[in-house]
Amino acid sequence: MTHTIQAWPRPLPQIDRDHAEWWAGLARHELLVQECPRCKALTFPPEPACPACRSLERGWRRSSGRGRVFSWVVVRRASHPYFADKVPYAVVLVAMDEGFRVVGSFEGPLDALCDGLPVEVGFDDVNDEVTLMRFRRVG
Amino acid sequence: MSPALRSKAAIVGIGATEFSANSGRSERRLAVEAVLAALADAGLEADDIDGIVNSDFDATNQLDIVNALGLANIRAYATIPHGGGSPCGTVAQAAMMVTSGVCECVVAYRSLNERSGHRYGSADAVPAYPWVFGLHAPYGLVVPGEWTAMHARRRMIEFGETREQWAEVPVTFRAHANRNPRAMLHGKTLTRGDYLAAPMLAEPLCRYDYCLETDGAVAYLVTSADRARSLRATPAHIHTAVQATGAPVWYQTNWYRDSLTTGAEVVAAARQLWSESGLSPRDIDVAQVYDHFAPLVLTALEDFGFCGKGEGAAFVGEGRIAHGGALPLNTAGGLLSEGYIHGWNLILEGVRQIRGTSTAQVEDVEFSLVTSCWGAPTSALILSR
Ligand SMILES: [Zn+2]
């Protein structure tokens, strides 16, 4: 794959109204998950209604930030030019202790990655709206 | 599709352009070529067409066909969404348009310059990522191969699978493509050694796990089973065609539901397919399984009930899915080796197996299965003699 060489910005999210509170949480360095005020079901990614009880009332719970690696990808050839000089890099899918999953970067040696690796979230501010998650091994 | 509609409609014409890396023509032109080829194959005239179906993600729309061919008799048209999940759903739609009596002859088509034009794998078209894409693109999971690697890794964790086992899928499909002069990779062999030596792109996947990028178009024509009897081609009856979403489902990033190795949408499609058809996996003589990524073929086979969960690697071993095996798969080479017309070329090969005209023909085919994308709202089709 060839790409025109130019200053490629980092891919960023378009933050819509259903996801806005979640991103605002990250900006405060809090990892949130939607928790239904009526039935307590956790929902991630955020939805405008509770898939379990169909309530339109939405609430949030703050995660401990701890979880375990559930799966991971090591990108060795970048598809997006922003990442061309960052390979190889690992992206982890983390099963948070509360019982939901999120994607984040992995900071640490690639050969440490394994199923169930205990990790803890850290935060990287990209701009006023966007903060990203970086997981590192704990214990 | 209700059992009441079973085999009341048939695919009576198929057409395609060449599959290439650079068509040198517009997607409009490719679409029209495929439609004309399908008409010629069926022995029908453009004025016979009174319905049009296509997929979303297409750069053309129905008007491009209407205007290019002067189609003045259109009575109904539809676009079926969800990309690679849509192809078999377009067959269900066309069958409903015909069996309802609204239309007599429906054309369906898909056209794309995926290799030379905008590529789904390319990052250049999207400055910021909406919806769930915004949750992973910033971390560098931008294209479908990078998303699918997360699912593939989980197969290794849960089932102890190895890339040696996965090799069976691309190597077998390449051998099928080597028999098919239309296949993009007709002249290129692929060995197990080639597969294992290939560098990782998004580990644990290499380029041979990825489908091709293709310029080309395909089209097919659907009419009633009654009318099909008077036409020249052996009709491929639309025995059963279903759509399903399951829940929840995203586009190839199904990381937030219970399992990464079971597709809720495919399990739902399979349940409908077998119950509405009255058939079981044992009845299927040959199958074209959506092969956007090699390891997902194993997951799809399990979700359709061809084997138990976690048994996919063993199932595809020992030549079972090769021409001459018990369940030949992707006999034209599939999306991995024939071409990637977003899953639509699998429908054409499913029809050829009913007609007896495949370059890797299975003997005495009674039921020919075609499936659409694992990991997106999906669809599936059983064609019969
Ligand atoms: Zn609820």
Side-chain angles (χ1 to χ4, degrees), chain A residues 10-14 70-72 74 76-77 79-80 83 89 91 101 103 105 115 133, chain B residues 123 128-129 134 138-141 146 150 153-154 157 200-201 203 250 255-258 260:
Chain A
R10 179 168 207 142
L12 290 173
Q14 284 176 28
F70 189 78
S71 191
W72 69 96
V74 178
R76 299 210 176 255
R77 196 179 77 179
S79 61
H80 188 290
F83 296 99
Y89 61 89
V91 183
R101 295 193 202 118
V103 167
S105 299
D115 182 37
M133 290 178 287
Chain B
Y129 291 75
Y139 300 103
L141 300 184
E146 292 161 355
M150 202 72 94
R153 171 79 63 189
R154 210 47 219 175
I157 293 168
M200 294 283 101
L201 300 180
E203 193 178 322
W250 298 276
W255 306 326
Y256 311 106
R257 57 191 191 191
D258 290 347
L260 266 63

mmCIF file of all heavy atoms in Angstrom, chain A residues 10-14 70-72 74 76-77 79-80 83 89 91 101 103 105 115 133, chain B residues 123 128-129 134 138-141 146 150 153-154 157 200-201 203 250 255-258 260:
data_model
loop_
_atom_site.group_PDB
_atom_site.id
_atom_site.type_symbol
_atom_site.label_atom_id
_atom_site.label_comp_id
_atom_site.label_asym_id
_atom_site.label_seq_id
_atom_site.Cartn_x
_atom_site.Cartn_y
_atom_site.Cartn_z
ATOM 1 N N ARG A 10 -3.146 12.110 13.625
ATOM 2 C CA ARG A 10 -3.637 10.894 14.260
ATOM 3 C C ARG A 10 -5.127 10.723 13.967
ATOM 4 O O ARG A 10 -5.889 11.693 14.026
ATOM 5 C CB ARG A 10 -3.438 11.026 15.765
ATOM 6 C CG ARG A 10 -3.936 9.838 16.535
ATOM 7 C CD ARG A 10 -3.465 9.872 17.983
ATOM 8 N NE ARG A 10 -3.407 8.510 18.455
ATOM 9 C CZ ARG A 10 -2.491 8.007 19.259
ATOM 10 N NH1 ARG A 10 -1.540 8.766 19.717
ATOM 11 N NH2 ARG A 10 -2.508 6.755 19.625
ATOM 12 N N PRO A 11 -5.573 9.501 13.659
ATOM 13 C CA PRO A 11 -7.018 9.287 13.513
ATOM 14 C C PRO A 11 -7.715 9.616 14.831
ATOM 15 O O PRO A 11 -7.239 9.228 15.889
ATOM 16 C CB PRO A 11 -7.135 7.784 13.216
ATOM 17 C CG PRO A 11 -5.778 7.335 12.840
ATOM 18 C CD PRO A 11 -4.802 8.278 13.489
ATOM 19 N N LEU A 12 -8.801 10.337 14.735
ATOM 20 C CA LEU A 12 -9.524 10.761 15.930
ATOM 21 C C LEU A 12 -10.989 10.367 15.829
ATOM 22 O O LEU A 12 -11.497 10.132 14.731
ATOM 23 C CB LEU A 12 -9.404 12.279 16.105
ATOM 24 C CG LEU A 12 -8.007 12.783 16.495
ATOM 25 C CD1 LEU A 12 -7.975 14.304 16.469
ATOM 26 C CD2 LEU A 12 -7.596 12.248 17.860
ATOM 27 N N PRO A 13 -11.658 10.293 16.960
ATOM 28 C CA PRO A 13 -13.084 9.962 16.921
ATOM 29 C C PRO A 13 -13.937 11.175 16.561
ATOM 30 O O PRO A 13 -13.563 12.308 16.857
ATOM 31 C CB PRO A 13 -13.371 9.540 18.368
ATOM 32 C CG PRO A 13 -12.397 10.323 19.179
ATOM 33 C CD PRO A 13 -11.152 10.446 18.327
ATOM 34 N N GLN A 14 -15.062 10.914 15.901
ATOM 35 C CA GLN A 14 -16.134 11.914 15.822
ATOM 36 C C GLN A 14 -17.013 11.643 17.041
ATOM 37 O O GLN A 14 -17.659 10.610 17.107
ATOM 38 C CB GLN A 14 -17.003 11.700 14.583
ATOM 39 C CG GLN A 14 -16.410 12.131 13.271
ATOM 40 C CD GLN A 14 -17.343 11.774 12.124
ATOM 41 O OE1 GLN A 14 -18.554 11.696 12.276
ATOM 42 N NE2 GLN A 14 -16.757 11.541 10.959
ATOM 43 N N PHE A 70 -7.770 -9.654 27.133
ATOM 44 C CA PHE A 70 -8.659 -10.688 26.593
ATOM 45 C C PHE A 70 -8.202 -11.115 25.202
ATOM 46 O O PHE A 70 -8.326 -12.267 24.810
ATOM 47 C CB PHE A 70 -10.086 -10.148 26.555
ATOM 48 C CG PHE A 70 -11.124 -11.185 26.220
ATOM 49 C CD1 PHE A 70 -11.554 -12.091 27.187
ATOM 50 C CD2 PHE A 70 -11.673 -11.266 24.946
ATOM 51 C CE1 PHE A 70 -12.502 -13.057 26.893
ATOM 52 C CE2 PHE A 70 -12.631 -12.226 24.638
ATOM 53 C CZ PHE A 70 -13.054 -13.128 25.613
ATOM 54 N N SER A 71 -7.706 -10.151 24.421
ATOM 55 C CA SER A 71 -7.106 -10.460 23.122
ATOM 56 C C SER A 71 -6.219 -9.287 22.753
ATOM 57 O O SER A 71 -6.260 -8.243 23.407
ATOM 58 C CB SER A 71 -8.182 -10.706 22.061
ATOM 59 O OG SER A 71 -7.596 -11.242 20.880
ATOM 60 N N TRP A 72 -5.395 -9.467 21.704
ATOM 61 C CA TRP A 72 -4.517 -8.374 21.307
ATOM 62 C C TRP A 72 -4.095 -8.553 19.860
ATOM 63 O O TRP A 72 -4.196 -9.650 19.294
ATOM 64 C CB TRP A 72 -3.291 -8.279 22.219
ATOM 65 C CG TRP A 72 -2.315 -9.410 22.068
ATOM 66 C CD1 TRP A 72 -1.196 -9.420 21.296
ATOM 67 C CD2 TRP A 72 -2.367 -10.703 22.700
ATOM 68 N NE1 TRP A 72 -0.548 -10.631 21.407
ATOM 69 C CE2 TRP A 72 -1.252 -11.431 22.267
ATOM 70 C CE3 TRP A 72 -3.274 -11.311 23.595
ATOM 71 C CZ2 TRP A 72 -0.998 -12.740 22.680
ATOM 72 C CZ3 TRP A 72 -3.020 -12.605 24.008
ATOM 73 C CH2 TRP A 72 -1.899 -13.311 23.556
ATOM 74 N N VAL A 74 -0.849 -7.297 17.221
ATOM 75 C CA VAL A 74 0.425 -6.604 17.037
ATOM 76 C C VAL A 74 0.484 -6.164 15.577
ATOM 77 O O VAL A 74 0.538 -7.002 14.672
ATOM 78 C CB VAL A 74 1.632 -7.492 17.382
ATOM 79 C CG1 VAL A 74 2.933 -6.730 17.119
ATOM 80 C CG2 VAL A 74 1.556 -7.950 18.838
ATOM 81 N N ARG A 76 2.267 -4.939 12.530
ATOM 82 C CA ARG A 76 3.670 -4.940 12.084
ATOM 83 C C ARG A 76 3.843 -4.164 10.786
ATOM 84 O O ARG A 76 4.943 -3.763 10.450
ATOM 85 C CB ARG A 76 4.179 -6.370 11.923
ATOM 86 C CG ARG A 76 4.127 -7.121 13.240
ATOM 87 C CD ARG A 76 5.199 -8.167 13.364
ATOM 88 N NE ARG A 76 5.149 -8.788 14.683
ATOM 89 C CZ ARG A 76 6.025 -8.534 15.650
ATOM 90 N NH1 ARG A 76 7.009 -7.682 15.460
ATOM 91 N NH2 ARG A 76 5.902 -9.134 16.817
ATOM 92 N N ARG A 77 2.747 -3.992 10.026
ATOM 93 C CA ARG A 77 2.802 -3.083 8.871
ATOM 94 C C ARG A 77 1.609 -2.151 8.971
ATOM 95 O O ARG A 77 0.459 -2.593 8.926
ATOM 96 C CB ARG A 77 2.773 -3.861 7.547
ATOM 97 C CG ARG A 77 3.217 -2.961 6.389
ATOM 98 C CD ARG A 77 3.222 -3.681 5.069
ATOM 99 N NE ARG A 77 1.870 -3.826 4.548
ATOM 100 C CZ ARG A 77 1.590 -4.410 3.398
ATOM 101 N NH1 ARG A 77 2.550 -4.933 2.665
ATOM 102 N NH2 ARG A 77 0.341 -4.507 2.979
ATOM 103 N N SER A 79 -1.362 0.317 8.357
ATOM 104 C CA SER A 79 -2.291 0.577 7.259
ATOM 105 C C SER A 79 -2.551 2.074 7.137
ATOM 106 O O SER A 79 -2.936 2.553 6.089
ATOM 107 C CB SER A 79 -3.616 -0.138 7.516
ATOM 108 O OG SER A 79 -4.197 0.347 8.712
ATOM 109 N N HIS A 80 -2.376 2.783 8.228
ATOM 110 C CA HIS A 80 -2.622 4.220 8.244
ATOM 111 C C HIS A 80 -1.274 4.923 8.400
ATOM 112 O O HIS A 80 -0.479 4.547 9.273
ATOM 113 C CB HIS A 80 -3.535 4.564 9.422
ATOM 114 C CG HIS A 80 -4.003 5.988 9.425
ATOM 115 N ND1 HIS A 80 -3.153 7.047 9.691
ATOM 116 C CD2 HIS A 80 -5.227 6.536 9.183
ATOM 117 C CE1 HIS A 80 -3.838 8.189 9.629
ATOM 118 N NE2 HIS A 80 -5.090 7.900 9.317
ATOM 119 N N PHE A 83 0.642 5.797 11.630
ATOM 120 C CA PHE A 83 1.281 4.764 12.444
ATOM 121 C C PHE A 83 2.531 4.170 11.787
ATOM 122 O O PHE A 83 3.132 3.244 12.339
ATOM 123 C CB PHE A 83 0.267 3.641 12.748
ATOM 124 C CG PHE A 83 -0.886 4.120 13.576
ATOM 125 C CD1 PHE A 83 -2.104 4.452 12.978
ATOM 126 C CD2 PHE A 83 -0.762 4.271 14.952
ATOM 127 C CE1 PHE A 83 -3.174 4.915 13.747
ATOM 128 C CE2 PHE A 83 -1.822 4.731 15.718
ATOM 129 C CZ PHE A 83 -3.029 5.057 15.119
ATOM 130 N N TYR A 89 3.402 -2.149 16.930
ATOM 131 C CA TYR A 89 2.722 -1.680 18.146
ATOM 132 C C TYR A 89 1.592 -2.649 18.481
ATOM 133 O O TYR A 89 1.070 -3.328 17.600
ATOM 134 C CB TYR A 89 2.182 -0.251 17.970
ATOM 135 C CG TYR A 89 1.166 -0.064 16.867
ATOM 136 C CD1 TYR A 89 -0.193 -0.229 17.114
ATOM 137 C CD2 TYR A 89 1.568 0.297 15.586
ATOM 138 C CE1 TYR A 89 -1.128 -0.035 16.101
ATOM 139 C CE2 TYR A 89 0.646 0.490 14.571
ATOM 140 C CZ TYR A 89 -0.711 0.325 14.834
ATOM 141 O OH TYR A 89 -1.625 0.507 13.829
ATOM 142 N N VAL A 91 -2.134 -3.412 20.306
ATOM 143 C CA VAL A 91 -3.412 -2.891 20.783
ATOM 144 C C VAL A 91 -4.104 -4.031 21.520
ATOM 145 O O VAL A 91 -4.147 -5.157 21.016
ATOM 146 C CB VAL A 91 -4.285 -2.397 19.622
ATOM 147 C CG1 VAL A 91 -5.576 -1.783 20.144
ATOM 148 C CG2 VAL A 91 -3.515 -1.386 18.773
ATOM 149 N N ARG A 101 -15.658 -4.563 28.133
ATOM 150 C CA ARG A 101 -14.371 -4.582 27.447
ATOM 151 C C ARG A 101 -14.114 -3.260 26.729
ATOM 152 O O ARG A 101 -15.053 -2.660 26.197
ATOM 153 C CB ARG A 101 -14.322 -5.711 26.410
ATOM 154 C CG ARG A 101 -14.391 -7.084 27.013
ATOM 155 C CD ARG A 101 -14.018 -8.132 25.955
ATOM 156 N NE ARG A 101 -14.569 -9.420 26.323
ATOM 157 C CZ ARG A 101 -15.465 -10.081 25.596
ATOM 158 N NH1 ARG A 101 -15.868 -9.604 24.433
ATOM 159 N NH2 ARG A 101 -15.933 -11.228 26.028
ATOM 160 N N VAL A 103 -10.866 -1.177 24.190
ATOM 161 C CA VAL A 103 -9.636 -1.269 23.418
ATOM 162 C C VAL A 103 -8.701 -0.146 23.854
ATOM 163 O O VAL A 103 -9.147 0.986 24.091
ATOM 164 C CB VAL A 103 -9.967 -1.120 21.914
ATOM 165 C CG1 VAL A 103 -8.701 -0.885 21.093
ATOM 166 C CG2 VAL A 103 -10.689 -2.363 21.420
ATOM 167 N N SER A 105 -4.132 1.117 23.874
ATOM 168 C CA SER A 105 -2.745 0.811 23.532
ATOM 169 C C SER A 105 -2.136 -0.042 24.636
ATOM 170 O O SER A 105 -2.619 -0.050 25.766
ATOM 171 C CB SER A 105 -1.933 2.103 23.416
ATOM 172 O OG SER A 105 -2.467 2.912 22.406
ATOM 173 N N ASP A 115 -2.935 -14.135 27.294
ATOM 174 C CA ASP A 115 -4.329 -14.144 27.727
ATOM 175 C C ASP A 115 -4.376 -13.995 29.250
ATOM 176 O O ASP A 115 -3.669 -14.699 29.968
ATOM 177 C CB ASP A 115 -4.974 -15.464 27.295
ATOM 178 C CG ASP A 115 -6.447 -15.518 27.667
ATOM 179 O OD1 ASP A 115 -7.130 -14.473 27.576
ATOM 180 O OD2 ASP A 115 -6.922 -16.608 28.037
ATOM 181 N N MET A 133 -6.540 5.743 26.005
ATOM 182 C CA MET A 133 -6.152 4.836 27.094
ATOM 183 C C MET A 133 -4.897 4.054 26.727
ATOM 184 O O MET A 133 -4.743 3.608 25.591
ATOM 185 C CB MET A 133 -7.293 3.856 27.369
ATOM 186 C CG MET A 133 -8.507 4.500 27.994
ATOM 187 S SD MET A 133 -9.830 3.299 28.221
ATOM 188 C CE MET A 133 -10.367 3.074 26.537
ATOM 189 N N ALA B 123 -6.908 4.483 4.366
ATOM 190 C CA ALA B 123 -7.217 5.355 5.490
ATOM 191 C C ALA B 123 -7.519 6.771 5.019
ATOM 192 O O ALA B 123 -7.861 7.625 5.808
ATOM 193 C CB ALA B 123 -6.033 5.377 6.435
ATOM 194 N N ALA B 128 -12.050 11.704 10.475
ATOM 195 C CA ALA B 128 -12.382 11.373 11.855
ATOM 196 C C ALA B 128 -13.364 10.214 11.825
ATOM 197 O O ALA B 128 -14.152 10.091 10.901
ATOM 198 C CB ALA B 128 -12.982 12.572 12.570
ATOM 199 N N TYR B 129 -13.302 9.407 12.847
ATOM 200 C CA TYR B 129 -13.978 8.121 12.798
ATOM 201 C C TYR B 129 -15.249 8.123 13.640
ATOM 202 O O TYR B 129 -15.188 8.339 14.847
ATOM 203 C CB TYR B 129 -13.018 7.020 13.248
ATOM 204 C CG TYR B 129 -11.913 6.812 12.241
ATOM 205 C CD1 TYR B 129 -10.861 7.718 12.135
ATOM 206 C CD2 TYR B 129 -11.939 5.742 11.355
ATOM 207 C CE1 TYR B 129 -9.863 7.552 11.189
ATOM 208 C CE2 TYR B 129 -10.955 5.563 10.407
ATOM 209 C CZ TYR B 129 -9.916 6.472 10.323
ATOM 210 O OH TYR B 129 -8.938 6.303 9.382
ATOM 211 N N GLY B 134 -14.556 5.136 16.198
ATOM 212 C CA GLY B 134 -13.802 6.097 16.995
ATOM 213 C C GLY B 134 -13.205 5.494 18.261
ATOM 214 O O GLY B 134 -12.317 6.077 18.871
ATOM 215 N N PRO B 138 -8.210 5.416 16.764
ATOM 216 C CA PRO B 138 -7.128 6.230 17.318
ATOM 217 C C PRO B 138 -5.953 5.400 17.854
ATOM 218 O O PRO B 138 -4.851 5.911 17.984
ATOM 219 C CB PRO B 138 -7.808 6.996 18.468
ATOM 220 C CG PRO B 138 -9.254 7.030 18.086
ATOM 221 C CD PRO B 138 -9.514 5.720 17.408
ATOM 222 N N TYR B 139 -6.206 4.126 18.150
ATOM 223 C CA TYR B 139 -5.142 3.266 18.673
ATOM 224 C C TYR B 139 -4.396 2.537 17.559
ATOM 225 O O TYR B 139 -3.448 1.789 17.829
ATOM 226 C CB TYR B 139 -5.726 2.244 19.657
ATOM 227 C CG TYR B 139 -6.390 2.915 20.831
ATOM 228 C CD1 TYR B 139 -7.776 3.020 20.922
ATOM 229 C CD2 TYR B 139 -5.613 3.483 21.844
ATOM 230 C CE1 TYR B 139 -8.381 3.665 21.989
ATOM 231 C CE2 TYR B 139 -6.215 4.128 22.920
ATOM 232 C CZ TYR B 139 -7.593 4.221 22.986
ATOM 233 O OH TYR B 139 -8.182 4.867 24.041
ATOM 234 N N GLY B 140 -4.873 2.708 16.315
ATOM 235 C CA GLY B 140 -4.173 2.079 15.208
ATOM 236 C C GLY B 140 -4.799 0.783 14.736
ATOM 237 O O GLY B 140 -4.152 -0.011 14.070
ATOM 238 N N LEU B 141 -6.067 0.576 15.069
ATOM 239 C CA LEU B 141 -6.827 -0.509 14.445
ATOM 240 C C LEU B 141 -7.787 0.172 13.475
ATOM 241 O O LEU B 141 -8.864 0.617 13.863
ATOM 242 C CB LEU B 141 -7.583 -1.343 15.481
ATOM 243 C CG LEU B 141 -6.723 -2.027 16.540
ATOM 244 C CD1 LEU B 141 -7.579 -2.906 17.440
ATOM 245 C CD2 LEU B 141 -5.609 -2.852 15.903
ATOM 246 N N GLU B 146 -6.879 -5.526 10.643
ATOM 247 C CA GLU B 146 -6.444 -5.226 12.010
ATOM 248 C C GLU B 146 -7.552 -5.540 13.020
ATOM 249 O O GLU B 146 -7.271 -5.932 14.152
ATOM 250 C CB GLU B 146 -6.021 -3.756 12.102
ATOM 251 C CG GLU B 146 -4.742 -3.490 11.308
ATOM 252 C CD GLU B 146 -4.506 -2.019 10.967
ATOM 253 O OE1 GLU B 146 -5.378 -1.179 11.255
ATOM 254 O OE2 GLU B 146 -3.448 -1.732 10.382
ATOM 255 N N MET B 150 -7.940 -9.472 16.056
ATOM 256 C CA MET B 150 -8.376 -9.609 17.449
ATOM 257 C C MET B 150 -9.221 -10.889 17.616
ATOM 258 O O MET B 150 -9.083 -11.610 18.614
ATOM 259 C CB MET B 150 -9.189 -8.374 17.834
ATOM 260 C CG MET B 150 -9.279 -8.090 19.297
ATOM 261 S SD MET B 150 -7.725 -7.493 20.000
ATOM 262 C CE MET B 150 -7.933 -5.716 19.913
ATOM 263 N N ARG B 153 -6.852 -14.081 17.008
ATOM 264 C CA ARG B 153 -6.039 -14.375 18.193
ATOM 265 C C ARG B 153 -6.842 -15.178 19.208
ATOM 266 O O ARG B 153 -6.346 -16.099 19.843
ATOM 267 C CB ARG B 153 -5.585 -13.062 18.826
ATOM 268 C CG ARG B 153 -4.930 -13.209 20.175
ATOM 269 C CD ARG B 153 -3.495 -13.650 20.089
ATOM 270 N NE ARG B 153 -2.702 -12.657 19.390
ATOM 271 C CZ ARG B 153 -1.432 -12.846 19.015
ATOM 272 N NH1 ARG B 153 -0.835 -13.983 19.274
ATOM 273 N NH2 ARG B 153 -0.770 -11.898 18.378
ATOM 274 N N ARG B 154 -8.097 -14.815 19.331
ATOM 275 C CA ARG B 154 -8.934 -15.482 20.323
ATOM 276 C C ARG B 154 -9.160 -16.958 19.966
ATOM 277 O O ARG B 154 -9.334 -17.786 20.845
ATOM 278 C CB ARG B 154 -10.239 -14.702 20.384
ATOM 279 C CG ARG B 154 -11.005 -14.666 21.678
ATOM 280 C CD ARG B 154 -10.246 -14.374 22.922
ATOM 281 N NE ARG B 154 -10.807 -15.234 23.964
ATOM 282 C CZ ARG B 154 -10.357 -15.350 25.201
ATOM 283 N NH1 ARG B 154 -9.313 -14.659 25.606
ATOM 284 N NH2 ARG B 154 -10.924 -16.155 26.033
ATOM 285 N N ILE B 157 -6.200 -18.664 21.373
ATOM 286 C CA ILE B 157 -6.267 -18.762 22.836
ATOM 287 C C ILE B 157 -7.252 -19.851 23.247
ATOM 288 O O ILE B 157 -6.952 -20.700 24.086
ATOM 289 C CB ILE B 157 -6.693 -17.405 23.441
ATOM 290 C CG1 ILE B 157 -5.608 -16.351 23.211
ATOM 291 C CG2 ILE B 157 -7.022 -17.546 24.925
ATOM 292 C CD1 ILE B 157 -6.052 -14.913 23.506
ATOM 293 N N MET B 200 4.085 -11.067 8.968
ATOM 294 C CA MET B 200 2.848 -10.661 9.622
ATOM 295 C C MET B 200 2.499 -9.229 9.228
ATOM 296 O O MET B 200 3.368 -8.363 9.140
ATOM 297 C CB MET B 200 3.024 -10.715 11.139
ATOM 298 C CG MET B 200 3.240 -12.096 11.730
ATOM 299 S SD MET B 200 1.711 -13.035 11.816
ATOM 300 C CE MET B 200 1.915 -14.089 10.403
ATOM 301 N N LEU B 201 1.202 -9.002 9.010
ATOM 302 C CA LEU B 201 0.713 -7.631 8.808
ATOM 303 C C LEU B 201 0.132 -7.148 10.136
ATOM 304 O O LEU B 201 0.686 -6.282 10.797
ATOM 305 C CB LEU B 201 -0.328 -7.591 7.701
ATOM 306 C CG LEU B 201 0.147 -8.062 6.319
ATOM 307 C CD1 LEU B 201 -0.995 -7.973 5.320
ATOM 308 C CD2 LEU B 201 1.332 -7.240 5.845
ATOM 309 N N GLU B 203 -0.542 -9.080 13.252
ATOM 310 C CA GLU B 203 -0.312 -10.392 13.852
ATOM 311 C C GLU B 203 -1.518 -10.806 14.679
ATOM 312 O O GLU B 203 -1.992 -9.997 15.477
ATOM 313 C CB GLU B 203 0.945 -10.290 14.739
ATOM 314 C CG GLU B 203 1.509 -11.607 15.190
ATOM 315 C CD GLU B 203 2.768 -11.382 16.027
ATOM 316 O OE1 GLU B 203 3.550 -10.463 15.691
ATOM 317 O OE2 GLU B 203 2.930 -12.093 17.011
ATOM 318 N N TRP B 250 -21.650 -5.232 15.326
ATOM 319 C CA TRP B 250 -21.044 -4.046 14.719
ATOM 320 C C TRP B 250 -20.439 -4.496 13.397
ATOM 321 O O TRP B 250 -20.784 -5.578 12.918
ATOM 322 C CB TRP B 250 -20.010 -3.459 15.683
ATOM 323 C CG TRP B 250 -20.644 -3.017 16.973
ATOM 324 C CD1 TRP B 250 -21.253 -1.833 17.221
ATOM 325 C CD2 TRP B 250 -20.772 -3.773 18.198
ATOM 326 N NE1 TRP B 250 -21.745 -1.792 18.512
ATOM 327 C CE2 TRP B 250 -21.465 -2.966 19.129
ATOM 328 C CE3 TRP B 250 -20.373 -5.050 18.597
ATOM 329 C CZ2 TRP B 250 -21.760 -3.400 20.439
ATOM 330 C CZ3 TRP B 250 -20.661 -5.476 19.884
ATOM 331 C CH2 TRP B 250 -21.349 -4.647 20.785
ATOM 332 N N TRP B 255 -16.142 -7.005 19.451
ATOM 333 C CA TRP B 255 -15.290 -7.303 20.604
ATOM 334 C C TRP B 255 -16.015 -7.100 21.919
ATOM 335 O O TRP B 255 -15.460 -7.392 22.969
ATOM 336 C CB TRP B 255 -14.062 -6.367 20.588
ATOM 337 C CG TRP B 255 -13.317 -6.395 19.314
ATOM 338 C CD1 TRP B 255 -13.154 -7.484 18.496
ATOM 339 C CD2 TRP B 255 -12.622 -5.310 18.688
ATOM 340 N NE1 TRP B 255 -12.384 -7.127 17.400
ATOM 341 C CE2 TRP B 255 -12.047 -5.800 17.506
ATOM 342 C CE3 TRP B 255 -12.420 -3.989 19.036
ATOM 343 C CZ2 TRP B 255 -11.286 -5.004 16.650
ATOM 344 C CZ3 TRP B 255 -11.660 -3.195 18.192
ATOM 345 C CH2 TRP B 255 -11.100 -3.703 17.011
ATOM 346 N N TYR B 256 -17.197 -6.558 21.869
ATOM 347 C CA TYR B 256 -17.866 -6.135 23.099
ATOM 348 C C TYR B 256 -18.985 -7.100 23.491
ATOM 349 O O TYR B 256 -19.679 -6.871 24.453
ATOM 350 C CB TYR B 256 -18.418 -4.714 22.927
ATOM 351 C CG TYR B 256 -17.387 -3.761 22.358
ATOM 352 C CD1 TYR B 256 -17.467 -3.320 21.043
ATOM 353 C CD2 TYR B 256 -16.304 -3.347 23.134
ATOM 354 C CE1 TYR B 256 -16.512 -2.462 20.514
ATOM 355 C CE2 TYR B 256 -15.346 -2.494 22.612
ATOM 356 C CZ TYR B 256 -15.450 -2.050 21.305
ATOM 357 O OH TYR B 256 -14.498 -1.211 20.782
ATOM 358 N N ARG B 257 -19.172 -8.156 22.715
ATOM 359 C CA ARG B 257 -20.182 -9.145 23.082
ATOM 360 C C ARG B 257 -19.474 -10.370 23.663
ATOM 361 O O ARG B 257 -18.254 -10.455 23.633
ATOM 362 C CB ARG B 257 -21.056 -9.487 21.877
ATOM 363 C CG ARG B 257 -20.313 -9.998 20.678
ATOM 364 C CD ARG B 257 -21.227 -10.048 19.440
ATOM 365 N NE ARG B 257 -20.581 -10.779 18.346
ATOM 366 C CZ ARG B 257 -21.051 -10.794 17.100
ATOM 367 N NH1 ARG B 257 -22.154 -10.144 16.787
ATOM 368 N NH2 ARG B 257 -20.413 -11.478 16.172
ATOM 369 N N ASP B 258 -20.265 -11.308 24.183
ATOM 370 C CA ASP B 258 -19.696 -12.376 25.010
ATOM 371 C C ASP B 258 -18.502 -13.063 24.355
ATOM 372 O O ASP B 258 -17.464 -13.224 24.950
ATOM 373 C CB ASP B 258 -20.767 -13.425 25.334
ATOM 374 C CG ASP B 258 -21.807 -12.873 26.299
ATOM 375 O OD1 ASP B 258 -21.547 -11.805 26.887
ATOM 376 O OD2 ASP B 258 -22.872 -13.496 26.444
ATOM 377 N N LEU B 260 -15.757 -13.771 21.086
ATOM 378 C CA LEU B 260 -15.117 -13.289 19.862
ATOM 379 C C LEU B 260 -15.054 -14.400 18.811
ATOM 380 O O LEU B 260 -14.638 -14.172 17.683
ATOM 381 C CB LEU B 260 -13.693 -12.787 20.150
ATOM 382 C CG LEU B 260 -13.560 -11.283 20.431
ATOM 383 C CD1 LEU B 260 -14.315 -10.880 21.665
ATOM 384 C CD2 LEU B 260 -12.097 -10.871 20.510
#
